Amino acid sequence: VYFVDKAFNRIKRLEISKQKVSIVSGENGLGNLPSSTISAPVSLALGRFNGPWGLAIHPNADTLYVADEGNRLLKSLTIKGNLANQLVRWRVGLLAGGINPPSRAKNSNIRLHNIAVDSGYVNISDYAFNYNISNYNFATDSVKIVSKKTLGDFADGFSYMQRKPDGVSPNIGDWTYFTDSENFALRRVNRKSGYMETVAGNPPPNPIDGTSNGLPLTEAKFSDPGPIAFNIRGYIDILDRTGASGKSAVRRYYIPRW
């Protein structure tokens, strides 16, 4: 199991059978390698991070992707193969001062928070700055903004409004699911057309389940929906953080026709 140690700016691995935790990268603490000034790949031992947050593993289990939030960069860590090829690379992001070197200019409007990966894309939520959902395309080495914050009411369609997207799923067909945390909803956006739908929840916050108690999903309520996890059996698990009850909960949505 791989995880981020945000406090110590490290990427770690838990070997359950051995009950052992080891450092994968970031052993030298706070920093930024590779970076805007040193863009060449570096070894896992030399990789450095600043408040890493989201982490996802490629379906081939050979590469980790890390949202290096403090450095505003998406980084990849090759974790398989011979030692010489186990490297940290930076892929895309907004660099310190908002400047991208021309050779790596992809999209300067990205702040990374949570990420999810499938065989072709890394989906990125921008929780703290632009409030976008973006995807990074492996094949073209480029980024597309799929949905973004707009002025207007909380609504579905092409004229939508989202506030602080947090958890994000890999692409499920043409759809990307995400938690719209300040609209207290689970939503999905079509990554090709940009059309957005609300799956469950709406303002104001109030943790209430849907369907199980006879209410439609749109009448379900969240306190503070955050990170999500997609299960290959067709479930999305949502961390609904502390609300009026003082307790957090994991809530589950079943994707119809999965």
Side-chain angles (χ1 to χ4, degrees), residues 91-196:
R91 298 294 181 177
V92 66
L94 177 66
L95 304 182
I99 301 171
N100 272 303
S103 62
R104 294 293 295 177
K106 306 272 192 324
N107 195 311
S108 61
N109 294 319
I110 291 177
R111 289 283 297 274
L112 301 100
H113 188 63
N114 278 312
I115 59 176
V117 63
D118 57 33
S119 58
Y121 299 90
V122 179
N123 290 333
I124 304 163
S125 71
D126 177 350
Y127 176 82
F129 189 59
N130 292 297
Y131 304 161
N132 296 335
I133 297 292
S134 305
N135 62 35
Y136 168 69
N137 186 316
F138 299 136
T140 61
D141 194 31
S142 62
V143 169
K144 174 186 176 182
I145 295 177
V146 179
S147 65
K148 59 187 178 181
K149 176 184 177 182
T150 61
L151 298 176
D153 296 328
F154 174 74
D156 293 348
F158 295 102
S159 298
Y160 42 73
M161 179 179 178
Q162 64 191 45
R163 299 176 62 193
K164 290 194 174 182
D166 194 335
V168 64
S169 77
N171 294 322
I172 303 170
D174 290 337
W175 296 95
T176 301
Y177 290 76
F178 68 96
T179 49
D180 191 350
S181 65
E182 287 199 350
N183 280 319
F184 314 103
L186 174 67
R187 310 181 82 181
R188 69 178 190 171
V189 59
N190 188 295
R191 63 188 176 90
K192 294 181 178 179
S193 69
Y195 186 86
M196 183 181 293

